[in-house]
Amino acid sequence: MSEATTGMAGTTGMTGEPQRAAGMVPGARHGGRAADEAAAVLAAQFEAGVMAEIRVFEDAAMTDRRFEEGLMTRGTGRRYGDEPMMGGGGSGAGTGSGGNGFGAGAGHGSGARRFGPEPELMADRFEGFQIAAGPADSSGGVFGEVTVRLSSPGEVAAAVPHFFGFFPDDSVVVLGLSPHGAGGRASICHGMRTDLADVDRNPARFGRWAVERLMDEGAVEAIVLIYPRIGADPMPHLYSRLSTLICGHLRRSGVIPLDSMFVAAGRWWSFLCERAACCPPEGTLIDPMASEVAALSTYSGLVVLPSRAALAESLQPYPADTVERTRAACTALVDAGQAASGRPWGESRMSWPEVRELWRLADELGSSIAGPGWRIPDEAAARLLLGLTDVRVRDYLATWCATERAGQAVAVSVELARRAVTAEQSAAGYSVAAWASWALGWGAWAALTLERALAAIPDYSLAVLIQHGLERGVGPSLVRVASHGTAKRLESMAEVEV
């Protein structure tokens, strides 16, 4: 297989050719007029926030677009105790059908996007593996690209779970490659995951749909990966015909299948290579850490889950006993605050020293993340949940998306949202998680967390902002720029304490 590269878009002043912002809706080509349209949509739709300037990167060109407002949306004005409390396991939208925002889910759960004229076909999309690296640049205006070389099919297979945030079992994954990578190499510009059953039912329809998506993203080559159900015996011959049908349709449409692979039980097989020397019949072992993608993912605090179903499960509210402990801790803090001030909780705005203290607490918690099983202590969770309804605290977590801490923002905000005791806390936590997932290019994470935010409060302003941006093809790079602008404004506000 030819060598491919994947761009890690950095947000911290590295040199190199800027990466294009990948779109989130079909037909959103990203060049010239499309970039202008995306900027115009942002100006029209993002009606509240602090972003003063956003830059649209298109190849090496940069166009300034000014907006009146940006990320920091208004709070709902609710006070603690003025709204229904959330019970364990009861907030947010469930997996399967019936969610808000992106429509009902199918196969592995809700949150997948619908594409094309045939609405039953759904997919998770990979919008570019967004990783910040290197020291922060004080200007915050230069975005570069870290290129990671994937020099074998095994390295591609090892990288795919990091592209989506979960291992794509019982799935078909198609990666699009454009000829615009570093040094003229092919570069992975787009990816999509679809349930294997949907593809198997009508491979020709899937082929047509996949080609349209790939051409929208400027791809001229593709890599196809077929994953059986986890635990199933690896039998690549059962999927040979499916691979032939998909690759045949790609070829007829002018998209060259660079490779077509079967991935199961920690091994990969190539459908396009019959040489035993490089593609033995027993398959080739996959080294999960074979690619630099895995190292960068770990560095950024990203956790790859074993399946999409596991992802949906990991976002559900905690059991009732955990939520009740958090509620008791919140109540104790509220009672203590009211006794000290002599005023009802939430009647007055938090002081800036109180806000800064919560920022420090969030920093400590983000730095303490230690992979799966990490939890926030009850009292710390209660303090942040009570503060999360203040946009200065909520949006501080969102500003981490301008740095290498986007993965931490996902972990902290999801942990808080799962412990939420009010609808506003739940909406705030899941909205930050959706924002950070969007910045990372993780379509499934963004869709599922946004769905839960909208289920908690359907008109929650930040969630609606994210929904509009995703539906209109705003790419991850713009989210990171918005996060940087929000960080600068929060710093300015803190300096003068306004």
Side-chain angles (χ1 to χ4, degrees), residues 21-42:
M24 304 287 286
V25 294
R29 291 182 173 85
H30 305 286
R33 186 171 62 86
D36 292 340
E37 290 174 354
V41 166
L42 277 175

Side-chain angles (χ1 to χ4, degrees), residues 191-203:
M192 43 200 159
R193 184 218 65 88
T194 307
D195 287 351
L196 178 58
D198 289 343
V199 179
D200 207 18
R201 268 194 298 271
N202 195 333

